[in-house]
Amino acid sequence: MSRSKANRTSEAEIGIAALIAARDRPTGWVTTSQLKKLIPSYITLTDDDQKDSLTREGEQLWHQIVGNIISHRTVEGNIIAEGYATYERRGVAITDAGRAYLERPRR
């Protein structure tokens, strides 16, 4: 997976991890709070990702990217905008398109 600026994990990479986390849940749905606990078990976060946020006390920088999945849900490339997930009750639910996307080979 490619890295974005300053050796940070990209929103796309976090989005894929969120899809995997939702897929692995019995309901296919996961809250953003749960994602903040689960994401590190799905991807390796960089040292830069794990730095404390200067604007959000008690959060690491990568936590903001989890929030961006929701706040950027209408932006092209976002897992919700692309139809791979839906926004439901402060979380994301994987769609059939999202399941198919995860089955595709990646480079």
Side-chain angles (χ1 to χ4, degrees):
M1 290 186 177
S2 63
R3 294 285 172 211
S4 61
K5 63 183 176 182
N7 199 34
R8 299 276 314 281
T9 303
S10 71
E11 188 171 325
E13 292 171 296
I14 298 283
I16 291 168
L19 285 176
I20 295 168
R23 180 200 63 195
D24 289 352
R25 308 280 295 179
T27 60
W29 171 79
V30 63
T31 67
T32 54
S33 294
Q34 290 168 328
L35 285 173
K36 289 176 183 178
K37 293 176 184 165
L38 293 170
I39 293 287
S41 64
Y42 290 98
I43 59 174
T44 302
L45 297 165
T46 69
D47 290 340
D48 288 345
D49 291 331
Q50 296 176 67
K51 290 181 180 176
D52 290 336
S53 171
L54 298 175
T55 57
R56 296 181 182 199
E57 189 173 329
E59 288 195 2
Q60 294 180 346
L61 291 173
W62 70 273
H63 289 166
Q64 184 172 352
I65 299 172
V66 172
N68 288 350
I69 293 170
I70 304 305
S71 63
H72 297 170
R73 66 183 173 266
T74 61
V75 176
E76 184 178 337
N78 177 283
I79 61 170
I80 297 169
E82 297 299 322
Y84 302 141
T86 57
Y87 173 57
E88 297 180 17
R89 304 168 301 171
R90 294 186 172 171
V92 294
I94 192 166
T95 63
D96 289 340
R99 291 177 191 281
Y101 175 77
L102 291 177
E103 293 299 319
R104 284 189 236 162
R106 298 210 200 306
R107 298 180 209 162

